[in-house]
PDB file of all heavy atoms in Angstrom:
ATOM      1  N   PHE A 345       1.912  31.025  33.455  1.00  0.00           N
ATOM      2  CA  PHE A 345       2.175  31.070  32.024  1.00  0.00           C
ATOM      3  C   PHE A 345       3.633  30.454  31.707  1.00  0.00           C
ATOM      4  O   PHE A 345       3.768  29.668  30.872  1.00  0.00           O
ATOM      5  CB  PHE A 345       2.273  32.545  31.432  1.00  0.00           C
ATOM      6  CG  PHE A 345       1.980  32.538  29.996  1.00  0.00           C
ATOM      7  CD1 PHE A 345       0.909  33.253  29.328  1.00  0.00           C
ATOM      8  CD2 PHE A 345       2.876  31.870  29.044  1.00  0.00           C
ATOM      9  CE1 PHE A 345       0.750  33.237  28.007  1.00  0.00           C
ATOM     10  CE2 PHE A 345       2.832  31.820  27.673  1.00  0.00           C
ATOM     11  CZ  PHE A 345       1.669  32.544  27.117  1.00  0.00           C
ATOM     12  N   THR A 438       7.882  39.203  25.671  1.00  0.00           N
ATOM     13  CA  THR A 438       7.605  38.352  24.663  1.00  0.00           C
ATOM     14  C   THR A 438       6.449  37.415  25.140  1.00  0.00           C
ATOM     15  O   THR A 438       5.467  37.133  24.390  1.00  0.00           O
ATOM     16  CB  THR A 438       8.784  37.449  24.426  1.00  0.00           C
ATOM     17  OG1 THR A 438       9.937  38.206  23.961  1.00  0.00           O
ATOM     18  CG2 THR A 438       8.575  36.407  23.352  1.00  0.00           C
ATOM     19  N   VAL A 439       6.619  36.969  26.330  1.00  0.00           N
ATOM     20  CA  VAL A 439       5.529  36.024  27.006  1.00  0.00           C
ATOM     21  C   VAL A 439       4.144  36.868  26.950  1.00  0.00           C
ATOM     22  O   VAL A 439       3.118  36.334  26.579  1.00  0.00           O
ATOM     23  CB  VAL A 439       5.932  35.556  28.305  1.00  0.00           C
ATOM     24  CG1 VAL A 439       4.732  34.964  28.970  1.00  0.00           C
ATOM     25  CG2 VAL A 439       7.069  34.583  28.136  1.00  0.00           C
ATOM     26  N   ALA A 440       4.278  38.156  27.488  1.00  0.00           N
ATOM     27  CA  ALA A 440       3.092  38.920  27.478  1.00  0.00           C
ATOM     28  C   ALA A 440       2.426  39.129  26.160  1.00  0.00           C
ATOM     29  O   ALA A 440       1.160  39.392  26.029  1.00  0.00           O
ATOM     30  CB  ALA A 440       3.324  40.384  28.329  1.00  0.00           C
ATOM     31  N   LEU A 441       3.127  39.091  25.046  1.00  0.00           N
ATOM     32  CA  LEU A 441       2.501  39.183  23.751  1.00  0.00           C
ATOM     33  C   LEU A 441       1.525  38.104  23.514  1.00  0.00           C
ATOM     34  O   LEU A 441       0.705  38.111  22.577  1.00  0.00           O
ATOM     35  CB  LEU A 441       3.591  39.321  22.640  1.00  0.00           C
ATOM     36  CG  LEU A 441       4.362  40.661  22.457  1.00  0.00           C
ATOM     37  CD1 LEU A 441       5.410  40.389  21.376  1.00  0.00           C
ATOM     38  CD2 LEU A 441       3.400  41.799  22.235  1.00  0.00           C
ATOM     39  N   SER A 442       1.711  37.008  24.273  1.00  0.00           N
ATOM     40  CA  SER A 442       0.800  35.880  24.129  1.00  0.00           C
ATOM     41  C   SER A 442      -0.539  36.067  24.923  1.00  0.00           C
ATOM     42  O   SER A 442      -1.329  35.062  25.137  1.00  0.00           O
ATOM     43  CB  SER A 442       1.503  34.551  24.489  1.00  0.00           C
ATOM     44  OG  SER A 442       2.404  34.115  23.441  1.00  0.00           O
ATOM     45  N   ILE A 443      -0.590  37.150  25.663  1.00  0.00           N
ATOM     46  CA  ILE A 443      -1.898  37.367  26.367  1.00  0.00           C
ATOM     47  C   ILE A 443      -2.988  37.882  25.353  1.00  0.00           C
ATOM     48  O   ILE A 443      -3.185  39.124  25.199  1.00  0.00           O
ATOM     49  CB  ILE A 443      -1.684  38.364  27.493  1.00  0.00           C
ATOM     50  CG1 ILE A 443      -0.584  38.053  28.477  1.00  0.00           C
ATOM     51  CG2 ILE A 443      -2.972  38.592  28.227  1.00  0.00           C
ATOM     52  CD1 ILE A 443      -0.298  39.066  29.608  1.00  0.00           C
ATOM     53  N   THR A 444      -3.424  36.980  24.596  1.00  0.00           N
ATOM     54  CA  THR A 444      -4.412  37.255  23.581  1.00  0.00           C
ATOM     55  C   THR A 444      -5.779  36.926  24.187  1.00  0.00           C
ATOM     56  O   THR A 444      -5.920  36.230  25.149  1.00  0.00           O
ATOM     57  CB  THR A 444      -4.160  36.237  22.342  1.00  0.00           C
ATOM     58  OG1 THR A 444      -4.222  34.860  22.900  1.00  0.00           O
ATOM     59  CG2 THR A 444      -2.830  36.564  21.762  1.00  0.00           C
ATOM     60  N   PRO A 445      -6.882  37.388  23.376  1.00  0.00           N
ATOM     61  CA  PRO A 445      -8.237  37.099  23.839  1.00  0.00           C
ATOM     62  C   PRO A 445      -8.398  35.500  24.091  1.00  0.00           C
ATOM     63  O   PRO A 445      -9.065  35.115  25.101  1.00  0.00           O
ATOM     64  CB  PRO A 445      -8.986  37.530  22.736  1.00  0.00           C
ATOM     65  CG  PRO A 445      -8.334  38.667  22.203  1.00  0.00           C
ATOM     66  CD  PRO A 445      -6.905  38.234  22.261  1.00  0.00           C
ATOM     67  N   LYS A 446      -7.818  34.753  23.232  1.00  0.00           N
ATOM     68  CA  LYS A 446      -7.874  33.274  23.352  1.00  0.00           C
ATOM     69  C   LYS A 446      -7.416  32.854  24.661  1.00  0.00           C
ATOM     70  O   LYS A 446      -7.938  32.022  25.366  1.00  0.00           O
ATOM     71  CB  LYS A 446      -7.130  32.559  22.146  1.00  0.00           C
ATOM     72  CG  LYS A 446      -7.185  31.140  22.206  1.00  0.00           C
ATOM     73  CD  LYS A 446      -6.788  30.521  20.813  1.00  0.00           C
ATOM     74  CE  LYS A 446      -6.178  29.220  20.906  1.00  0.00           C
ATOM     75  NZ  LYS A 446      -4.691  29.163  21.130  1.00  0.00           N
ATOM     76  N   TYR A 447      -6.122  33.468  25.057  1.00  0.00           N
ATOM     77  CA  TYR A 447      -5.524  33.066  26.384  1.00  0.00           C
ATOM     78  C   TYR A 447      -6.345  33.519  27.463  1.00  0.00           C
ATOM     79  O   TYR A 447      -6.651  32.805  28.524  1.00  0.00           O
ATOM     80  CB  TYR A 447      -4.135  33.652  26.407  1.00  0.00           C
ATOM     81  CG  TYR A 447      -3.535  33.525  27.870  1.00  0.00           C
ATOM     82  CD1 TYR A 447      -3.124  32.398  28.282  1.00  0.00           C
ATOM     83  CD2 TYR A 447      -3.341  34.706  28.565  1.00  0.00           C
ATOM     84  CE1 TYR A 447      -2.558  32.321  29.578  1.00  0.00           C
ATOM     85  CE2 TYR A 447      -2.821  34.686  29.858  1.00  0.00           C
ATOM     86  CZ  TYR A 447      -2.423  33.535  30.338  1.00  0.00           C
ATOM     87  OH  TYR A 447      -1.937  33.394  31.567  1.00  0.00           O
ATOM     88  N   PHE A 466      -7.782  45.542  19.410  1.00  0.00           N
ATOM     89  CA  PHE A 466      -6.614  44.867  20.190  1.00  0.00           C
ATOM     90  C   PHE A 466      -5.402  45.404  19.692  1.00  0.00           C
ATOM     91  O   PHE A 466      -4.457  45.810  20.516  1.00  0.00           O
ATOM     92  CB  PHE A 466      -6.841  43.359  19.820  1.00  0.00           C
ATOM     93  CG  PHE A 466      -5.647  42.575  20.493  1.00  0.00           C
ATOM     94  CD1 PHE A 466      -5.745  42.151  21.859  1.00  0.00           C
ATOM     95  CD2 PHE A 466      -4.512  42.286  19.757  1.00  0.00           C
ATOM     96  CE1 PHE A 466      -4.690  41.420  22.423  1.00  0.00           C
ATOM     97  CE2 PHE A 466      -3.529  41.553  20.426  1.00  0.00           C
ATOM     98  CZ  PHE A 466      -3.555  41.190  21.686  1.00  0.00           C
ATOM     99  N   HIS A 554       8.682  36.608  19.392  1.00  0.00           N
ATOM    100  CA  HIS A 554       7.237  36.214  19.308  1.00  0.00           C
ATOM    101  C   HIS A 554       6.961  35.574  17.911  1.00  0.00           C
ATOM    102  O   HIS A 554       6.380  34.421  17.780  1.00  0.00           O
ATOM    103  CB  HIS A 554       6.367  37.325  19.481  1.00  0.00           C
ATOM    104  CG  HIS A 554       4.937  37.079  19.493  1.00  0.00           C
ATOM    105  ND1 HIS A 554       4.253  36.377  20.396  1.00  0.00           N
ATOM    106  CD2 HIS A 554       3.876  37.522  18.582  1.00  0.00           C
ATOM    107  CE1 HIS A 554       2.904  36.220  20.067  1.00  0.00           C
ATOM    108  NE2 HIS A 554       2.690  36.894  19.024  1.00  0.00           N
ATOM    109  N   ARG A 555       7.420  36.231  16.911  1.00  0.00           N
ATOM    110  CA  ARG A 555       7.230  35.609  15.535  1.00  0.00           C
ATOM    111  C   ARG A 555       7.818  34.184  15.344  1.00  0.00           C
ATOM    112  O   ARG A 555       7.229  33.299  14.859  1.00  0.00           O
ATOM    113  CB  ARG A 555       7.822  36.479  14.472  1.00  0.00           C
ATOM    114  CG  ARG A 555       7.609  36.117  13.041  1.00  0.00           C
ATOM    115  CD  ARG A 555       7.815  37.206  12.113  1.00  0.00           C
ATOM    116  NE  ARG A 555       9.254  37.616  11.938  1.00  0.00           N
ATOM    117  CZ  ARG A 555       9.722  38.632  11.240  1.00  0.00           C
ATOM    118  NH1 ARG A 555       8.867  39.321  10.437  1.00  0.00           N
ATOM    119  NH2 ARG A 555      11.016  38.845  11.240  1.00  0.00           N
ATOM    120  N   GLU A 556       9.009  34.055  15.910  1.00  0.00           N
ATOM    121  CA  GLU A 556       9.650  32.804  15.856  1.00  0.00           C
ATOM    122  C   GLU A 556       9.089  31.729  16.681  1.00  0.00           C
ATOM    123  O   GLU A 556       8.786  30.557  16.258  1.00  0.00           O
ATOM    124  CB  GLU A 556      11.112  33.002  16.360  1.00  0.00           C
ATOM    125  CG  GLU A 556      12.163  32.242  15.583  1.00  0.00           C
ATOM    126  CD  GLU A 556      11.966  32.295  14.016  1.00  0.00           C
ATOM    127  OE1 GLU A 556      11.777  33.308  13.520  1.00  0.00           O
ATOM    128  OE2 GLU A 556      12.125  31.190  13.442  1.00  0.00           O
ATOM    129  N   LEU A 557       8.753  32.005  17.949  1.00  0.00           N
ATOM    130  CA  LEU A 557       8.177  31.093  18.826  1.00  0.00           C
ATOM    131  C   LEU A 557       6.758  30.631  18.336  1.00  0.00           C
ATOM    132  O   LEU A 557       6.324  29.516  18.507  1.00  0.00           O
ATOM    133  CB  LEU A 557       8.046  31.687  20.271  1.00  0.00           C
ATOM    134  CG  LEU A 557       9.364  31.955  20.952  1.00  0.00           C
ATOM    135  CD1 LEU A 557       9.056  32.655  22.298  1.00  0.00           C
ATOM    136  CD2 LEU A 557      10.153  30.610  21.178  1.00  0.00           C
ATOM    137  N   CYS A 558       6.121  31.617  17.664  1.00  0.00           N
ATOM    138  CA  CYS A 558       4.692  31.173  17.116  1.00  0.00           C
ATOM    139  C   CYS A 558       4.953  30.263  15.884  1.00  0.00           C
ATOM    140  O   CYS A 558       4.057  29.301  15.810  1.00  0.00           O
ATOM    141  CB  CYS A 558       4.074  32.468  16.655  1.00  0.00           C
ATOM    142  SG  CYS A 558       3.447  33.460  18.070  1.00  0.00           S
ATOM    143  N   LYS A 559       5.993  30.431  15.263  1.00  0.00           N
ATOM    144  CA  LYS A 559       6.227  29.530  14.093  1.00  0.00           C
ATOM    145  C   LYS A 559       6.447  28.077  14.725  1.00  0.00           C
ATOM    146  O   LYS A 559       5.893  27.123  14.246  1.00  0.00           O
ATOM    147  CB  LYS A 559       7.535  29.898  13.343  1.00  0.00           C
ATOM    148  CG  LYS A 559       7.428  29.618  11.893  1.00  0.00           C
ATOM    149  CD  LYS A 559       8.808  30.080  11.194  1.00  0.00           C
ATOM    150  CE  LYS A 559       8.954  31.390  10.862  1.00  0.00           C
ATOM    151  NZ  LYS A 559      10.346  31.796  10.379  1.00  0.00           N
ATOM    152  N   ALA A 561       5.437  27.045  17.454  1.00  0.00           N
ATOM    153  CA  ALA A 561       4.253  26.417  17.963  1.00  0.00           C
ATOM    154  C   ALA A 561       3.230  26.103  16.986  1.00  0.00           C
ATOM    155  O   ALA A 561       2.082  25.564  17.223  1.00  0.00           O
ATOM    156  CB  ALA A 561       3.613  27.569  18.909  1.00  0.00           C
ATOM    157  N   GLY A 562       3.564  26.240  15.606  1.00  0.00           N
ATOM    158  CA  GLY A 562       2.731  25.907  14.442  1.00  0.00           C
ATOM    159  C   GLY A 562       1.650  26.777  14.325  1.00  0.00           C
ATOM    160  O   GLY A 562       0.599  26.371  13.749  1.00  0.00           O
ATOM    161  N   HIS A 563       1.757  28.057  14.727  1.00  0.00           N
ATOM    162  CA  HIS A 563       0.674  29.002  14.613  1.00  0.00           C
ATOM    163  C   HIS A 563       0.404  29.374  13.199  1.00  0.00           C
ATOM    164  O   HIS A 563       1.455  29.619  12.516  1.00  0.00           O
ATOM    165  CB  HIS A 563       0.873  30.253  15.477  1.00  0.00           C
ATOM    166  CG  HIS A 563      -0.077  31.430  15.139  1.00  0.00           C
ATOM    167  ND1 HIS A 563      -1.275  31.421  15.825  1.00  0.00           N
ATOM    168  CD2 HIS A 563       0.009  32.519  14.479  1.00  0.00           C
ATOM    169  CE1 HIS A 563      -1.973  32.465  15.355  1.00  0.00           C
ATOM    170  NE2 HIS A 563      -1.247  33.122  14.509  1.00  0.00           N
ATOM    171  N   GLU A 564      -0.743  29.502  12.800  1.00  0.00           N
ATOM    172  CA  GLU A 564      -1.115  29.970  11.429  1.00  0.00           C
ATOM    173  C   GLU A 564      -1.992  31.150  11.497  1.00  0.00           C
ATOM    174  O   GLU A 564      -2.738  31.215  12.513  1.00  0.00           O
ATOM    175  CB  GLU A 564      -1.684  28.833  10.548  1.00  0.00           C
ATOM    176  CG  GLU A 564      -0.656  27.848  10.005  1.00  0.00           C
ATOM    177  CD  GLU A 564      -1.276  26.658   9.396  1.00  0.00           C
ATOM    178  OE1 GLU A 564      -2.554  26.677   9.187  1.00  0.00           O
ATOM    179  OE2 GLU A 564      -0.593  25.615   9.255  1.00  0.00           O
ATOM    180  N   GLY A 565      -1.959  32.115  10.701  1.00  0.00           N
ATOM    181  CA  GLY A 565      -2.787  33.253  10.811  1.00  0.00           C
ATOM    182  C   GLY A 565      -2.047  34.420  11.282  1.00  0.00           C
ATOM    183  O   GLY A 565      -0.779  34.423  11.505  1.00  0.00           O
ATOM    184  N   PRO A 566      -2.695  35.489  11.520  1.00  0.00           N
ATOM    185  CA  PRO A 566      -2.092  36.698  11.992  1.00  0.00           C
ATOM    186  C   PRO A 566      -1.270  36.581  13.292  1.00  0.00           C
ATOM    187  O   PRO A 566      -1.686  35.939  14.185  1.00  0.00           O
ATOM    188  CB  PRO A 566      -3.178  37.781  12.181  1.00  0.00           C
ATOM    189  CG  PRO A 566      -4.472  37.099  11.912  1.00  0.00           C
ATOM    190  CD  PRO A 566      -4.180  35.668  11.488  1.00  0.00           C
ATOM    191  N   LEU A 567      -0.109  37.293  13.268  1.00  0.00           N
ATOM    192  CA  LEU A 567       0.733  37.170  14.466  1.00  0.00           C
ATOM    193  C   LEU A 567       0.107  37.657  15.674  1.00  0.00           C
ATOM    194  O   LEU A 567       0.450  37.071  16.865  1.00  0.00           O
ATOM    195  CB  LEU A 567       2.008  38.100  14.146  1.00  0.00           C
ATOM    196  CG  LEU A 567       3.350  37.652  14.647  1.00  0.00           C
ATOM    197  CD1 LEU A 567       3.592  36.151  14.366  1.00  0.00           C
ATOM    198  CD2 LEU A 567       4.370  38.456  13.890  1.00  0.00           C
ATOM    199  N   HIS A 568      -0.786  38.629  15.699  1.00  0.00           N
ATOM    200  CA  HIS A 568      -1.304  39.095  16.957  1.00  0.00           C
ATOM    201  C   HIS A 568      -2.346  38.181  17.555  1.00  0.00           C
ATOM    202  O   HIS A 568      -2.784  38.379  18.733  1.00  0.00           O
ATOM    203  CB  HIS A 568      -1.930  40.518  16.699  1.00  0.00           C
ATOM    204  CG  HIS A 568      -3.113  40.493  15.746  1.00  0.00           C
ATOM    205  ND1 HIS A 568      -2.930  40.741  14.430  1.00  0.00           N
ATOM    206  CD2 HIS A 568      -4.388  40.340  15.969  1.00  0.00           C
ATOM    207  CE1 HIS A 568      -4.068  40.690  13.802  1.00  0.00           C
ATOM    208  NE2 HIS A 568      -4.948  40.443  14.702  1.00  0.00           N
ATOM    209  N   ARG A 569      -2.779  37.048  16.827  1.00  0.00           N
ATOM    210  CA  ARG A 569      -3.665  36.166  17.504  1.00  0.00           C
ATOM    211  C   ARG A 569      -2.910  34.937  18.036  1.00  0.00           C
ATOM    212  O   ARG A 569      -3.605  34.107  18.608  1.00  0.00           O
ATOM    213  CB  ARG A 569      -4.709  35.743  16.388  1.00  0.00           C
ATOM    214  CG  ARG A 569      -5.652  36.720  16.184  1.00  0.00           C
ATOM    215  CD  ARG A 569      -6.971  36.114  15.796  1.00  0.00           C
ATOM    216  NE  ARG A 569      -7.696  37.083  14.778  1.00  0.00           N
ATOM    217  CZ  ARG A 569      -8.211  36.664  13.706  1.00  0.00           C
ATOM    218  NH1 ARG A 569      -8.301  35.506  13.303  1.00  0.00           N
ATOM    219  NH2 ARG A 569      -8.727  37.567  12.903  1.00  0.00           N
ATOM    220  N   CYS A 570      -1.577  34.981  17.879  1.00  0.00           N
ATOM    221  CA  CYS A 570      -0.860  33.771  18.409  1.00  0.00           C
ATOM    222  C   CYS A 570      -0.611  33.786  19.955  1.00  0.00           C
ATOM    223  O   CYS A 570      -0.202  34.911  20.284  1.00  0.00           O
ATOM    224  CB  CYS A 570       0.431  33.731  17.705  1.00  0.00           C
ATOM    225  SG  CYS A 570       1.711  32.678  18.535  1.00  0.00           S
ATOM    226  N   SER A 571      -0.813  32.726  20.509  1.00  0.00           N
ATOM    227  CA  SER A 571      -0.416  32.591  21.948  1.00  0.00           C
ATOM    228  C   SER A 571       0.378  31.335  22.114  1.00  0.00           C
ATOM    229  O   SER A 571      -0.031  30.181  21.620  1.00  0.00           O
ATOM    230  CB  SER A 571      -1.548  32.576  22.883  1.00  0.00           C
ATOM    231  OG  SER A 571      -1.165  32.355  24.179  1.00  0.00           O
ATOM    232  N   ILE A 572       1.536  31.466  22.689  1.00  0.00           N
ATOM    233  CA  ILE A 572       2.374  30.225  22.901  1.00  0.00           C
ATOM    234  C   ILE A 572       2.052  29.524  24.190  1.00  0.00           C
ATOM    235  O   ILE A 572       2.702  28.564  24.586  1.00  0.00           O
ATOM    236  CB  ILE A 572       3.842  30.566  22.748  1.00  0.00           C
ATOM    237  CG1 ILE A 572       4.250  31.418  23.875  1.00  0.00           C
ATOM    238  CG2 ILE A 572       4.193  31.013  21.494  1.00  0.00           C
ATOM    239  CD1 ILE A 572       5.884  31.616  24.075  1.00  0.00           C
ATOM    240  N   TYR A 573       0.862  29.909  24.925  1.00  0.00           N
ATOM    241  CA  TYR A 573       0.590  29.291  26.105  1.00  0.00           C
ATOM    242  C   TYR A 573       0.533  27.837  26.084  1.00  0.00           C
ATOM    243  O   TYR A 573      -0.028  27.243  25.089  1.00  0.00           O
ATOM    244  CB  TYR A 573      -0.802  29.817  26.548  1.00  0.00           C
ATOM    245  CG  TYR A 573      -1.309  29.366  27.869  1.00  0.00           C
ATOM    246  CD1 TYR A 573      -0.550  29.624  29.074  1.00  0.00           C
ATOM    247  CD2 TYR A 573      -2.528  28.701  28.021  1.00  0.00           C
ATOM    248  CE1 TYR A 573      -1.086  29.262  30.330  1.00  0.00           C
ATOM    249  CE2 TYR A 573      -3.013  28.297  29.248  1.00  0.00           C
ATOM    250  CZ  TYR A 573      -2.242  28.456  30.440  1.00  0.00           C
ATOM    251  OH  TYR A 573      -2.667  28.185  31.635  1.00  0.00           O
ATOM    252  N   TYR A 615       3.293  42.454  12.530  1.00  0.00           N
ATOM    253  CA  TYR A 615       2.397  42.328  13.628  1.00  0.00           C
ATOM    254  C   TYR A 615       1.303  43.413  13.473  1.00  0.00           C
ATOM    255  O   TYR A 615       0.150  43.162  13.661  1.00  0.00           O
ATOM    256  CB  TYR A 615       3.146  42.505  15.010  1.00  0.00           C
ATOM    257  CG  TYR A 615       2.278  42.302  16.237  1.00  0.00           C
ATOM    258  CD1 TYR A 615       2.357  41.036  16.858  1.00  0.00           C
ATOM    259  CD2 TYR A 615       1.540  43.309  16.805  1.00  0.00           C
ATOM    260  CE1 TYR A 615       1.637  40.804  18.018  1.00  0.00           C
ATOM    261  CE2 TYR A 615       0.718  43.047  17.948  1.00  0.00           C
ATOM    262  CZ  TYR A 615       0.826  41.877  18.578  1.00  0.00           C
ATOM    263  OH  TYR A 615       0.044  41.561  19.745  1.00  0.00           O
TER     264      TYR A 615
END
Side-chain angles (χ1 to χ4, degrees):
F345 202 123
T438 302
V439 167
L441 286 179
S442 283
I443 306 181
T444 55
K446 181 166 151 265
Y447 169 70
F466 178 84
H554 181 66
R555 182 165 67 182
E556 215 47 45
L557 293 173
C558 289
K559 210 185 281 170
H563 173 80
E564 282 169 15
L567 213 43
H568 61 272
R569 282 206 216 136
C570 161
S571 177
I572 60 167
Y573 184 58
Y615 187 98

